[in-house]
Amino acid sequence: MLTLLTFHPDNLELFTTHHVDTVLKQIDSSHNIWLRCIHFRDRTGTAKIIKHFGLNPSRVNMIFNHSPVGIDEDVEDCLFDSYEILTPQIKNNEFEVARGNILLGNNFIITFEITELKALTILANNLQKRTRDIETLGISYVFYLIFKEILNNYHTVFEHISRKLDDLEDEVLDNSGDELTYQKIATMRQSTRSGRRNFQSIKSLMAIMNHEDLQWISQPVKELFNQELVHHVDKLWQEYQALRAWMSELMEIQRDNIAGKTGERINRLTILSSIFLPITFMSGFYGMNFKYMPELEQPWAYPAVVCVMALIVIGSIFYAKKQRWL
């Protein structure tokens, strides 16, 4: 789906279609625009969009080949950013990741969203109130708002993670979990690695803005990044590291729990083996084929031996329970 947002001084014009040629005809280069390409994997159509905005054709390969997360500084036709963002959606104990690209030019911004990012949809629905700010600060202000929404999205994600970890912590501390509990924690921890790359990418962008003159971002917008988002990123980064440490701690405790349960099973098997060891000895003793064994001719010998065996078993079990081995 292709959604075109055209910003006028007093209003926002919205146009949606599935056809590239149709949306390109609607683009007015005299206005700031935001083109959202959602679930759009048409390589030919993408090439048309790239050509329409006068961008380097190599951008098509970068979009479809999943270039490394972060800012691309090799080609200076636009500000090109690849992202991987954690979303609140969970599937099979894994947090789903929204991937895509953001291209920022002098009066346009294009987002290729492989997975629709709900934070951007919410932002697009609320931009009607910000048209004057966009007219004053330029399209880079929308770029700023996108990153602000991405960071706000992480508050929801971290809240979901905390709730999940609370439930898993109850299982771990009650020692009621099993290997499946451990696997849930490990899977969740692995699925949140994208958050680290995303935060590093945002930090890298801010560092670039501070040390280089990016023509696509106006000075007022740079100040907004520094004033409002730097501390926001640092705070979320600390919260992210705390959650990762929490997961690691739960994994370590659960690993000890599993090892403890395994040790208890081995101890029980060892005790049971030791209980039946004297009986095995007696069975082996009377299994010897000697001709002269006086007990064999006594009528009371068999029940006596059986009773002795039973007493040994009962006594051993009683002693093991008294010592709390069983």
Side-chain angles (χ1 to χ4, degrees):
M1 183 175 70
L2 301 169
T3 301
L4 175 65
L5 292 85
T6 304
F7 300 98
H8 299 279
D10 298 318
N11 70 299
L12 171 65
E13 182 182 337
L14 182 66
F15 179 79
T16 301
T17 182
H18 290 279
H19 304 289
V20 174
D21 294 331
T22 304
V23 77
L24 292 180
K25 291 177 181 178
Q26 295 292 324
I27 294 175
D28 185 351
S29 58
S30 63
H31 293 91
N32 293 316
I33 66 104
W34 176 13
L35 178 60
R36 296 185 67 195
C37 306
I38 306 170
H39 304 300
F40 185 75
R41 304 306 290 167
D42 180 357
R43 194 179 186 95
T44 303
T46 301
K48 288 182 180 180
I49 294 173
I50 294 299
K51 183 178 180 181
H52 180 87
F53 287 95
L55 303 178
N56 194 301
S58 64
R59 296 300 187 190
V60 179
N61 290 329
M62 296 175 68
I63 292 168
F64 279 86
N65 295 339
H66 306 297
S67 57
V69 175
I71 304 297
D72 173 70
E73 300 181 76
D74 295 333
V75 184
E76 298 182 353
D77 56 347
C78 67
L79 181 62
F80 185 95
D81 180 40
S82 296
Y83 64 80
E84 289 182 354
I85 301 170
L86 287 175
T87 67
Q89 285 73 38
I90 301 176
K91 184 177 181 181
N92 298 328
N93 297 307
E94 289 191 25
F95 283 86
E96 294 186 1
V97 177
R99 295 178 174 84
N101 308 98
I102 303 175
L103 288 76
L104 174 65
N106 290 322
N107 68 333
F108 67 86
I109 184 166
I110 310 171
T111 54
F112 290 92
E113 303 169 42
I114 299 173
T115 306
E116 181 179 2
L117 193 58
K118 290 186 177 180
L120 298 189
T121 301
I122 294 171
L123 173 62
N125 293 334
N126 294 330
L127 282 178
Q128 182 68 48
K129 304 172 185 177
R130 299 179 179 270
T131 53
R132 288 191 176 275
D133 293 331
I134 296 169
E135 184 71 18
T136 303
L137 301 174
I139 196 63
S140 60
Y141 181 64
V142 177
F143 186 72
Y144 158 78
L145 293 175
I146 287 174
F147 277 88
K148 188 175 181 180
E149 285 299 323
I150 288 172
L151 294 177
N152 290 335
N153 163 76
Y154 274 102
H155 287 294
T156 306
V157 173
F158 290 165
E159 185 179 345
H160 275 67
I161 294 176
S162 297
R163 285 202 296 265
K164 282 284 184 182
L165 290 179
D166 278 334
D167 295 337
L168 291 171
E169 185 178 54
D170 292 338
E171 294 182 26
V172 170
L173 296 181
D174 292 341
N175 202 12
S176 59
D178 51 16
E179 291 186 8
L180 182 60
T181 302
Y182 177 85
Q183 191 60 41
K184 286 179 181 178
I185 303 170
T187 300
M188 184 181 297
R189 191 176 191 278
Q190 187 177 17
S191 70
T192 57
R193 288 186 302 178
S194 297
R196 181 182 69 250
R197 293 192 290 268
N198 195 209
F199 285 125
Q200 289 173 342
S201 170
I202 296 174
K203 285 186 173 184
S204 175
L205 170 63
M206 293 179 178
I208 292 172
M209 283 194 297
N210 288 333
H211 295 93
E212 297 182 22
D213 182 21
L214 296 179
Q215 58 176 314
W216 304 283
I217 300 179
S218 63
Q219 187 60 36
V221 172
K222 287 182 182 179
E223 293 175 1
L224 285 174
F225 267 97
N226 289 324
Q227 292 172 4
E228 299 189 20
L229 296 192
V230 170
H231 298 299
H232 200 174
V233 172
D234 290 338
K235 185 178 179 180
L236 286 172
W237 175 247
Q238 293 173 5
E239 188 175 351
Y240 171 79
Q241 289 181 312
L243 289 172
R244 296 274 295 182
W246 188 5
M247 294 178 199
S248 298
E249 184 179 351
L250 291 181
M251 287 175 64
E252 191 65 31
I253 296 173
Q254 186 59 15
R255 191 184 292 118
D256 292 340
N257 290 344
I258 294 171
K261 288 182 179 180
T262 303
E264 288 178 6
R265 295 189 188 104
I266 293 174
N267 287 339
R268 289 194 180 98
L269 291 173
T270 303
I271 293 168
L272 289 173
S273 299
S274 64
I275 288 173
F276 289 97
L277 186 62
I279 299 175
T280 305
F281 170 76
M282 295 180 69
S283 301
F285 184 81
Y286 283 101
M288 294 186 293
N289 295 321
F290 289 108
K291 182 177 181 180
Y292 299 104
M293 295 185 74
E295 298 90 348
L296 296 180
E297 297 181 0
Q298 299 296 329
W300 48 264
Y302 177 74
V305 171
V306 171
C307 288
V308 170
M309 288 182 175
L311 286 173
I312 291 173
V313 172
I314 294 171
S316 299
I317 293 175
F318 177 77
Y319 180 77
K321 283 188 174 291
K322 187 176 181 180
Q323 297 295 324
R324 297 183 178 179
W325 295 343
L326 289 175

